[in-house]
């Protein structure tokens, strides 16, 4: 069983040697270690992947020792994740189908190490896609009049299926602070622009008017500040004066699929750490 530990704390000497020594003493073998120091903030970040010996049997005891002997003395914020249980990912969509098709195709091919208990939408347009991949589809209409009740239905589904994180695969509704607070840094959105430029509903039109030479897409964690959450992954492609708005949109949608899937993979692999509305992304 592989176990991943994520740590951040005030930077100080001796952290790496103390942590690695502790793992060795407790019958763990380190198969991956990466670390980063944010010098201006004076914060240390580390990701460690461990394999335990066959004789190891008490993870709870290990966690308790880690807290007492390492986390408390070094003032660590830390989390531990095992690979014996796949995370459960819910997908929220509206009417655009390209990101949904891409995620479900990658899931079916075994590229995404997750369970997908359901797809949820505020429209019924994409139900046939969920049916095609034999994944339950839930339709919860969402508007100004029913917003509170609709969110209650969403939360009930998320709780019933014990969802670990949510992917907004072009879900064209603003997620409420209540939902965000229950899934902090666990809601991934794809923005059809190279944030922070050209935010809003029609970024490709705005980019076209400005005569830009590159367009992009951004996957990020959702916060209450619209399109201002910690950025996970970005990519760009070149355009010229000869491209039309339709060309911009086509190229942009290709980027959206790629950038969203990369962001999801990084999250699944526990390679992202959020601090001060920024991310540390481990290789």
């Amino acid at each position: 069983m592989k176990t991943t530990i994520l740590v951040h704390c005030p930077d100080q000497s001796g952290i790496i040697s103390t942590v690695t020594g502790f793992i060795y003493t407790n019958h763990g073998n380190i198969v991956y270690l990466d670390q980063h120091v944010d010098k201006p903030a004076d914060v240390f970040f580390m990701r460690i992947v461990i394999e335990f010996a066959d004789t190891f049997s008490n993870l709870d005891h290990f966690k308790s020792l880690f807290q007492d002997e390492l986390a408390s003395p070094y003032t660590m914020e830390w989390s531990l994740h095992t690979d014996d249980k796949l995370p459960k990912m819910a997908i929220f969509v509206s009417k655009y189908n390209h990101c949904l098709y891409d995620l479900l195709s990658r899931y079916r091919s075994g590229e995404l190490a997750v369970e997908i208990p359901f797809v949820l939408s505020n429209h019924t347009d994409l139900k046939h896609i969920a049916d095609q991949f034999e994944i339950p589809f839930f339709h919860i209409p969402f508007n100004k009049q029913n917003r509170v009740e609709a969110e209650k239905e969403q939360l009930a589904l998320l709780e019933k299926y014990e969802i670990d994180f949510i992917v907004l695969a072009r879900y064209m509704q603003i997620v409420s602070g209540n939902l965000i607070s229950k899934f902090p840094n666990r809601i991934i959105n794809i923005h059809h622009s190279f944030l922070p430029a050209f935010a809003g509903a029609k970024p490709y039109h705005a980019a076209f008017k400005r005569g830009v030479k590159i367009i992009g897409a951004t996957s990020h964690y959702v916060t209450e500040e619209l399109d201002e959450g910690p950025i996970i992954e970005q990519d760009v492609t070149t355009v010229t004066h000869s491209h039309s708005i339709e060309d911009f949109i086509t190229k942009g949608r290709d980027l959206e699929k790629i950038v969203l899937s990369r962001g999801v993979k990084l999250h699944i692999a526990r390679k992202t750490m959020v601090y001060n509305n920024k991310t540390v992304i481990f290789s």
Side-chain angles (χ1 to χ4, degrees):
M1 176 180 69
K2 285 187 179 179
T3 300
T4 300
I5 299 176
L6 301 175
V7 169
H8 77 264
C9 63
D11 187 32
Q12 52 207 292
S13 62
I15 300 175
I16 294 177
S17 62
T18 302
V19 172
T20 54
F22 172 86
I23 291 169
Y24 172 76
T25 301
N26 287 275
H27 312 292
N29 178 44
I30 296 173
V31 296
Y32 173 93
L33 187 153
D34 198 359
Q35 58 85 30
H36 168 70
V37 177
D38 184 333
K39 289 292 187 181
D42 199 32
V43 177
F44 174 86
F45 300 87
M46 182 163 60
R47 178 177 182 267
I48 312 170
V49 181
I50 307 163
E51 288 181 343
F52 287 106
D54 294 338
T55 54
F56 181 83
S57 62
N58 195 335
L59 189 61
D60 288 336
H61 180 62
F62 176 89
K63 291 164 67 175
S64 178
L65 287 178
F66 192 99
Q67 177 62 41
D68 293 341
E69 298 183 18
L70 298 178
S72 293
Y74 283 97
T75 320
M76 291 178 177
E77 296 288 335
W78 68 287
S79 59
L80 183 148
H81 313 273
T82 59
D83 69 349
D84 58 339
K85 184 180 179 182
L86 295 177
K88 294 181 179 180
M89 177 179 85
I91 302 177
F92 284 26
V93 295
S94 289
K95 291 186 177 182
Y96 294 110
N97 63 21
H98 55 293
C99 287
L100 179 62
Y101 263 125
D102 186 71
L103 287 172
L104 295 184
S105 296
R106 293 175 190 274
Y107 167 71
R108 175 168 283 183
S109 69
E111 191 175 329
L112 300 179
V114 294
E115 294 180 23
I116 304 179
F118 63 82
V119 172
L120 182 148
S121 181
N122 55 326
H123 300 282
T124 58
D125 299 57
L126 304 185
K127 182 179 184 301
H128 67 283
I129 301 177
D131 292 343
Q132 176 184 338
F133 286 88
E134 300 179 326
I135 293 175
F137 179 92
F138 292 99
H139 172 224
I140 300 180
F142 205 96
N143 53 55
K144 291 181 180 179
Q145 289 71 38
N146 78 334
R147 181 178 296 273
V148 174
E149 190 58 40
E151 185 182 90
K152 288 181 180 178
E153 291 184 53
Q154 292 176 352
L155 288 169
L157 278 174
L158 294 166
E159 182 177 353
K160 176 182 177 181
Y161 286 93
E162 300 178 325
I163 296 301
D164 294 299
F165 72 105
I166 303 166
V167 176
L168 308 182
R170 295 306 306 275
Y171 180 64
M172 307 303 288
Q173 293 291 330
I174 295 175
V175 178
S176 77
N178 185 34
L179 183 59
I180 293 169
S181 68
K182 295 183 185 302
F183 289 85
N185 301 320
R186 291 188 292 140
I187 304 176
I188 300 173
N189 189 28
I190 181 65
H191 188 80
H192 42 302
S193 177
F194 193 63
L195 289 175
F198 304 117
K202 293 187 175 182
Y204 296 123
H205 292 72
F208 179 80
K209 289 179 181 179
R210 287 290 304 275
V212 302
K213 303 310 177 192
I214 59 170
I215 58 173
T218 303
S219 63
H220 64 93
Y221 289 115
V222 175
T223 61
E224 292 195 51
E225 293 72 35
L226 184 62
D227 296 331
E228 296 289 340
I231 292 170
I232 306 170
E233 180 70 19
Q234 295 183 293
D235 206 347
V236 296
T237 188
T238 58
V239 291
T240 73
H241 62 276
S242 66
H243 289 110
S244 66
I245 291 177
E246 289 72 22
D247 294 329
F248 275 43
I249 293 172
T250 298
K251 284 174 165 282
R253 287 180 179 173
D254 284 341
L255 280 178
E256 290 167 26
K257 295 185 292 186
I258 294 168
V259 171
L260 181 59
S261 68
R262 287 179 187 167
V264 170
K265 287 179 185 177
L266 287 167
H267 181 87
I268 293 169
R270 312 289 182 183
K271 292 186 176 182
T272 67
M273 293 185 70
V274 177
Y275 184 80
N276 281 353
N277 206 48
K278 296 193 299 183
T279 53
V280 173
I281 306 294
F282 291 106
S283 60

